[in-house]
Amino acid sequence: MRLGLFGGTFDPPHDGHLAVARAARDQLGLDRVELIPTRVPPHRHAPSASAPDRFAMVALAVLDEPRLVPSPREIVRDGVSYTVETLERLATQRPEVEPFLVLGLDSYLDLPNWKQPARITELAHLVIAPRPGARLALRGEDRPRLAAPGAHTSAGGPRRVFVLEMEEVPLSATALREALARGETPIRGLCGPVLRYVRKRGLYGVEETD
Ligand code: ATP
């Protein structure tokens, strides 16, 4: 099975996330793309919404999306969510799965700062989505130092790096949280069910409504 793994804080999940997940699913013929909210993200400040709320919002966002599924595989684990551990577990528990790790370009450029980046690239193919503000530096100090070319995934085949062909989506969860806190309307970039959930739960400083 070709499985996409798309991790993130999803605080909240927005149309940029959905565009990336759909493009990965369709362009790489993935059987399924899991959207995986992190419990405690290692690379950033604590999320605003709780892990159960972020999981619920991801589930609502993909409700009508074929082959996009919410996954609790990181929020059910204790402690910091390290991608390398998620991939190691998957390789042990389901060795038949061919994993494709989906990342926005900003995250890909940060990969050298993650735990065991070379091991990550041995365990999964990488699928990179363009993102406004992030540029791929082909030379120079910014270039991520990854495993040597020719490394193999645990499934045995050569590991590969794919770049998705898609329009950049100028959305970030940070900007959306700020817009929600300011009481801005309309809010663009959140699907209806997620926006209703945010209002119902009074997340991000939004006044609670029934
Ligand atoms: P925040 O603004 O809170 O940092 P975010 O919008 O970057 O959040 P995350 O949940 O941190 O969202 O991102 C999860 C993954 O989705 C990361 O790999 C990130 O690069 C990617 N991503 C998020 N938004 C976009 C976007 N608009 N275009 C492409 N990739 C994106």
Side-chain angles (χ1 to χ4, degrees):
M1 180 175 73
R2 290 161 71 84
L3 176 65
L5 298 152
F6 186 27
T9 320
F10 300 114
D11 189 24
H14 53 66
D15 291 352
H17 296 127
L18 288 180
V20 170
R22 287 188 198 111
R25 174 194 65 194
D26 298 342
Q27 291 177 31
L28 293 163
L30 303 182
D31 296 296
R32 193 194 301 167
V33 177
E34 290 186 358
L35 284 81
I36 312 171
T38 54
R39 185 162 179 269
V40 184
H43 312 288
R44 47 176 286 155
H45 55 84
S48 168
S50 69
D53 277 334
R54 290 181 289 114
F55 181 82
M57 289 189 284
V58 166
L60 288 169
V62 298
L63 212 51
D64 291 327
E65 289 287 340
R67 308 197 326 272
L68 302 188
V69 294
S71 166
R73 61 170 81 237
E74 289 195 352
I75 57 174
V76 295
R77 275 194 346 240
D78 281 342
V80 175
S81 312
Y82 288 110
T83 299
V84 69
E85 285 165 15
T86 303
L87 292 172
E88 293 281 14
R89 267 164 204 257
L90 183 66
T92 308
Q93 290 166 356
R94 301 194 52 199
E96 78 286 1
V97 164
E98 188 174 6
F100 292 73
L101 183 66
V102 182
L103 302 158
L105 182 51
D106 56 318
S107 299
Y108 174 70
L109 294 173
D110 189 45
L111 199 58
N113 302 319
W114 294 20
K115 187 175 174 189
Q116 298 183 35
R119 182 71 184 137
I120 290 176
T121 66
E122 286 168 11
L123 288 164
H125 304 294
L126 300 186
V127 180
I128 302 161
R131 187 162 192 193
R135 287 283 163 270
L136 190 55
L138 294 176
R139 291 179 201 289
E141 290 303 302
D142 287 347
R143 187 176 54 166
R145 289 181 297 280
L146 300 176
H152 283 60
T153 62
S154 53
R159 67 109 176 126
R160 301 186 54 187
V161 178
F162 302 90
V163 178
L164 295 174
E165 283 189 31
M166 57 182 285
E167 293 291 324
E168 291 183 349
V169 184
L171 282 175
S172 76
T174 304
L176 282 163
R177 286 194 301 275
E178 288 168 1
L180 287 163
R182 282 194 302 270
E184 221 170 82
T185 50
I187 293 284
R188 284 182 222 287
L190 290 183
C191 67
V194 169
L195 190 54
R196 280 194 290 280
Y197 186 90
V198 166
R199 297 220 160 102
K200 206 172 167 58
R201 300 271 302 141
L203 303 178
Y204 311 119
V206 171
E207 209 174 309
E208 234 170 285
T209 50
D210 283 331

